[in-house]
Amino acid sequence: MKGPITREQIVDGTAMSRRALLQGAGLLLGFALTGASTESVFAAPASRVVENEVTGEFAPNGFIRINPTGDVTLVIPMAEMGQGVYTALSMLLAEELEVKLDQIQVQHAPANDALYANSFLHIQTTGASSSVRAFWTPLRQAGAVGRNLLIAAAAKRWNVDPAACRAKDGVVFDASGSKHLTYGALAKAAAKLPVPPAANVKLKDPKDFALIGTRAKRVDSSIKVDGRALYGIDTRLPGMKVAAVAISPVLGGKAKTVDEKAALAVKGVRQVINIDEAVAVVADHFGAAKKGLKAATITWDDGPNGKISNADIVKQLEEESQKPGAVARNDGDAGKALAKAAQRLDAIYQVPFLAHAAMEPMNCTVHLQNHRCDIWVGTQVMTLTQSLVVELTGLPKDAIKIHNHLIGGGFGRRLEADGTVLAVKIAKHVDGPVKVIWSREEDIQHDMYRPYYVDRLSAGLDAAGKPVAWTHRIAGASITARYIPSWFKDGVDLDAVECAAGPYALPNIHVDYVRVEPPGVRTAFWRGVGPTHNVFVVESFMDELSHAAKQDPVAYRKELLSHNPRALAVLSLAAEKAGWGSPLPARNGRGISVQFAFGSYLSAVAEVEVAADGSVKVKRIVCAVDCGMCVNPDTIEAQVQGGTIFGLTAALHGSITFKDGRVEQSNFDDYLPMRIDEVPVVETHLIRNAEAPGGIGEAPTAIVSAAVTNAIFAATGKRVRSLPIDTDSLKSSS
């Protein structure tokens, strides 16, 4: 194999890309590939995101790089996939470092658990809405360490007490303000000073924050608007081939026949690679690879899962859900209280398999050589990916270079490294770099899906309608048993049962979990994880209890939240801002839900209209949020809007089904995203306080579906207990 690719080889001036079309003629794109570099990913002077390690004269920790030129680079440990984490985490660093956002550039952190592990997940992983929560203190400490060292360097030069100096906007001033030195001018001297322990450095009082809490502009907005942003799928290397793949349509199957001769006859096709579970056609460009794949007319041996249907899977879940499970929670004596209750309610809820369906389909570029392996990809799990490639190649960890990119939608899909594993398997047969791209159909039909769940609930009410007993059995696959074994304890999947009893004060609660692994289906985390199904179930059933008690749904919940002032506050605010109780036209209704998940409190009110033909129009969503300290209110509002639409899409349209072992959906025509004319007004109301930050990226996705289905009940008197919403059942009989 050939030697390492140099940066000078990267730019192909003869090719015209879709991004070049966006930018106009003359704007050249490039990015650093190997080793350390102070050059930007983008040739334009206003670059804000750089790739790979940037060296710095002053580098007191893994997060800050400052050069004598005055360049300030902040190294961000978590992946940016649209959630605004580059901006939020930059704000934490910049606040204590005393620089403005427009003075910095941001780089992707390299794979390194020792420096960049997420304290919630214990490895370098972007997930569980934990980025700000995990780095709230470490990044501020890192910035404070850097600021103090720079001040100390200036004070030493002026022979004054560091306590008499101050820093602002990347400049250190003496007490009088007559002397000043830029961070660039101090970088060399500051680098020679001993670095104090981060825990010993005093942090700012929140009342002194100048950046945290403000509506800061996204650091990655401009490059995304004008097309300079590079995602994994944009990787272009000299001599690079492109591969299209066909993966066995049935899990566990393999290729039976492949017409290699026909595929190789297509102009531009160079190789056909059969690795059992998949066939790749390698060509000069993706169009030729796709044509070659079609010409290969692959037939498949389906293996043991070729007869699996959705009905089989649901039947198995329903049967298993009738058996006692591993006990997740047992407060009081729910069985005894239920037997003595004045009124009993029982319900069965179901939610389907869901695909992630990100706009950027799975892709990965690999250059495998004898002594190293370079990988260009957008991933949420850099070090996990690196470890899997070590196993595949036998190369040492430091020979595996992950070039992480902006991600065009993750939603949990990029927590899995199967796309990279497949690309490395293909790269073993290719001389030089190869970019493997999944078609939209492959992406949807070979996803790792949010589990199908069947939930059985019972509740007992006393004579006044107050709940005295609550039982909840959850049946479904366990993601954590495979992915985070420490979260699977005594037969209980901690994610699958999260939020299973809501934030309410209930005297007798019993929650159990039945693990049911459906044959022929791979399951994985999906945006909102366990709460996406539990909040829908719990808040829907709580609504059932309020109506059985003949009480207003908001007033009913308030009585059960008197012990929880933060939950009560978001519930009250959402109801107030939505105009709860004001009259609506016929077949219009409001529904409410409340949750505590990801360290944040949310309440949502949905206003819907159900037409005579059963079609549902969600007209308005009002969301109240208490996520503790607000780092960037703009990002929080954007996440509420995006998460709401993601959750609404699933509630209205989302369902992956199986027939003959195959996923029946394949593209956006039969796995529907919300259309623009379906999108409601989404209002966000923030409750600000000094509590530690909670997560926000997934919380709105979890809360919205119950608010909508409760509103449907208010509009029609018909209860929705399974998703997606069956509009046929909502047709008017008049």
Side-chain angles (χ1 to χ4, degrees):
M1 293 185 180
K2 299 176 182 178
I5 298 170
T6 66
R7 183 182 189 280
E8 288 71 27
Q9 292 175 305
I10 274 304
V11 178
D12 178 3
T14 62
M16 175 65 75
S17 72
R18 58 188 172 88
R19 297 188 179 277
L21 290 172
L22 282 172
Q23 297 165 56
L27 179 57
L28 201 61
L29 299 181
F31 52 90
L33 289 185
T34 60
S37 171
T38 57
E39 295 188 34
S40 165
V41 175
F42 315 102
S47 305
R48 304 302 300 280
V49 181
V50 296
E51 193 211 38
N52 292 334
E53 296 91 336
V54 172
T55 57
E57 188 79 32
F58 178 60
N61 48 57
F63 305 105
I64 297 170
R65 307 284 183 266
I66 300 177
N67 283 309
T69 58
D71 293 331
V72 179
T73 301
L74 301 186
V75 182
I76 303 302
M78 299 288 96
E80 175 62 70
M81 47 192 170
Q83 81 278 38
V85 72
Y86 273 11
T87 306
L89 297 187
S90 292
M91 291 171 75
L92 302 185
L93 271 168
E95 180 69 70
E96 294 286 352
L97 185 60
E98 287 289 1
V99 293
K100 296 187 293 186
L101 286 182
D102 61 7
Q103 292 178 282
I104 66 170
Q105 62 183 3
V106 173
Q107 76 166 55
H108 310 270
N112 188 324
D113 281 339
L115 288 177
Y116 305 117
N118 179 316
S119 62
F120 275 69
L121 304 173
H122 308 298
I123 61 173
Q124 190 178 351
T125 299
T126 307
S129 295
S130 63
S131 294
V132 170
R133 290 189 287 164
F135 290 97
W136 167 247
T137 297
L139 288 184
R140 289 187 299 134
Q141 288 176 332
V145 166
R147 181 190 74 238
N148 284 358
L149 287 169
L150 290 159
I151 288 174
K156 185 176 182 180
R157 185 174 300 185
W158 297 327
N159 196 27
V160 300
D161 185 352
C165 303
R166 64 184 179 88
K168 183 175 176 59
D169 299 340
V171 179
V172 179
F173 299 87
D174 71 353
S176 68
S178 60
K179 294 181 180 179
H180 64 272
L181 289 166
T182 66
Y183 283 2
L186 293 166
K188 286 186 178 180
K192 297 176 182 178
L193 298 177
V195 178
N200 293 351
V201 178
K202 184 178 179 181
L203 299 178
K204 283 186 179 181
D205 189 301
K207 66 180 176 56
D208 297 323
F209 286 160
L211 186 57
I212 293 173
T214 65
R215 293 183 177 272
K217 293 182 179 179
R218 291 273 296 262
V219 300
D220 55 341
S221 290
S222 63
I223 59 174
K224 289 179 175 177
V225 169
D226 65 19
R228 286 176 294 142
L230 292 177
Y231 297 83
I233 203 167
D234 295 315
T235 301
R236 294 169 65 192
L237 309 174
M240 182 183 76
K241 301 294 189 293
V242 181
V245 295
I247 305 169
S248 171
V250 178
L251 187 65
K254 61 182 181 179
K256 186 162 56 177
T257 63
V258 181
D259 192 338
E260 293 190 23
K261 185 176 180 181
L264 290 168
V266 174
K267 183 180 179 181
V269 170
R270 303 300 176 186
Q271 287 177 264
V272 178
I273 300 168
N274 185 347
I275 52 174
D276 289 334
E277 77 270 22
V279 175
V281 173
V282 181
D284 295 334
H285 54 83
F286 192 56
K290 288 263 292 182
K291 289 180 181 178
L293 200 60
K294 183 177 181 180
T297 56
I298 305 163
T299 63
W300 300 94
D301 176 354
D302 289 347
N305 297 315
K307 300 299 181 182
I308 298 297
S309 71
N310 226 59
D312 299 327
I313 294 169
V314 175
K315 181 181 178 183
Q316 178 193 27
L317 280 163
E318 289 176 338
E319 290 175 350
E320 293 297 315
S321 72
Q322 298 180 55
K323 303 173 183 177
V327 177
R329 183 174 177 182
N330 192 36
D331 301 345
D333 191 333
K336 184 177 179 181
L338 191 61
K340 293 183 176 181
Q343 185 179 2
R344 173 175 175 150
L345 286 86
D346 301 289
I348 300 174
Y349 282 82
Q350 297 189 15
V351 295
F353 293 114
L354 293 173
H356 299 84
M359 288 304 296
E360 181 187 10
M362 296 291 283
N363 65 89
C364 181
T365 301
V366 180
H367 188 199
L368 180 60
Q369 302 169 83
N370 291 330
H371 60 290
R372 66 178 290 163
C373 182
D374 285 88
I375 295 171
W376 294 264
V377 69
T379 177
Q380 295 173 243
V381 281
M382 291 188 67
T383 53
L384 175 62
T385 299
Q386 186 183 54
S387 296
L388 290 173
V389 177
V390 166
E391 292 179 16
L392 274 173
T393 62
L395 292 169
K397 182 178 289 188
D398 60 5
I400 310 299
K401 183 71 173 178
I402 308 292
H403 305 268
N404 208 12
H405 283 67
L406 298 169
I407 303 174
F411 315 127
R413 182 63 180 99
R414 265 67 174 182
L415 286 171
E416 304 291 343
D418 56 308
T420 298
V421 167
L422 178 60
V424 172
K425 289 180 178 179
I426 292 167
K428 286 183 174 183
H429 302 275
V430 179
D431 185 14
V434 57
K435 175 160 64 176
V436 180
I437 303 176
W438 298 26
S439 67
R440 177 65 59 196
E441 291 76 11
E442 293 293 324
D443 188 82
I444 288 178
Q445 294 184 320
H446 298 90
D447 201 343
M448 299 179 74
Y449 306 101
R450 198 280 302 272
Y452 196 116
Y453 289 104
V454 172
D455 292 55
R456 293 180 179 270
L457 295 98
S458 297
L461 308 182
D462 63 17
K466 187 175 181 178
V468 294
W470 178 284
T471 70
H472 184 177
R473 178 170 299 148
I474 300 158
S478 174
I479 304 166
T480 65
R482 169 184 65 86
Y483 198 91
I484 313 176
S486 63
W487 288 13
F488 187 78
K489 297 180 179 180
D490 301 321
V492 175
D493 183 310
L494 298 184
D495 173 63
V497 302
E498 186 178 358
C499 299
Y504 302 105
L506 303 171
N508 300 285
I509 302 171
H510 183 87
V511 178
D512 62 5
Y513 169 72
V514 179
R515 183 182 180 185
V516 186
E517 297 297 339
V521 183
R522 301 185 305 171
T523 59
F525 296 117
W526 184 88
R527 184 177 186 175
V529 291
T532 61
H533 106 272
N534 280 325
V535 173
F536 164 64
V537 171
V538 168
E539 285 302 296
S540 297
F541 196 51
M542 187 59 68
D543 217 61
E544 292 198 46
L545 302 191
S546 70
H547 287 283
K550 297 181 170 56
Q551 296 182 29
D552 175 80
V554 170
Y556 193 77
R557 286 172 170 83
K558 282 184 176 181
E559 187 174 348
L560 299 174
L561 292 172
S562 59
H563 69 295
N564 193 330
R566 294 178 71 183
L568 185 60
V570 291
L571 176 72
S572 299
L573 182 60
E576 174 196 340
K577 295 297 185 181
W580 187 269
S582 60
L584 290 171
R587 293 186 69 82
N588 281 249
R590 293 188 188 94
I592 196 160
S593 59
V594 64
Q595 72 181 31
F596 174 64
F598 311 103
S600 295
Y601 294 85
L602 273 74
S603 182
V605 175
E607 185 176 316
V608 308
E609 179 181 5
V610 183
D613 65 357
S615 59
V616 176
K617 173 67 175 177
V618 182
K619 300 167 73 173
R620 183 186 181 205
I621 300 289
V622 178
C623 191
V625 178
D626 174 359
C627 59
M629 182 69 70
C630 296
V631 176
N632 186 347
D634 271 0
T635 297
I636 295 168
E637 291 177 7
Q639 285 298 285
V640 170
Q641 292 164 355
T644 293
I645 292 170
F646 200 81
L648 281 176
T649 293
L652 295 172
H653 305 304
S655 181
I656 289 292
T657 57
F658 291 81
K659 182 178 180 181
D660 296 329
R662 292 159 167 78
V663 173
E664 294 187 278
Q665 294 71 31
S666 63
N667 209 315
F668 291 136
D669 60 333
D670 52 13
Y671 192 75
L672 299 175
M674 284 192 78
R675 271 33 179 191
I676 194 167
D677 62 337
E678 296 178 284
V679 175
V681 173
V682 179
E683 301 174 21
T684 306
H685 302 277
L686 302 179
I687 295 177
R688 299 198 185 213
N689 55 46
E691 299 287 343
I696 196 63
E698 296 173 275
T701 297
I703 200 168
V704 69
S705 57
V708 170
T709 55
N710 290 339
I712 289 171
F713 179 83
T716 65
K718 297 179 179 179
R719 182 65 63 184
V720 177
R721 288 178 174 164
S722 63
L723 296 176
I725 296 163
D726 178 8
T727 56
D728 286 341
S729 68
L730 303 179
K731 291 180 179 178
S732 174
S733 57
S734 60

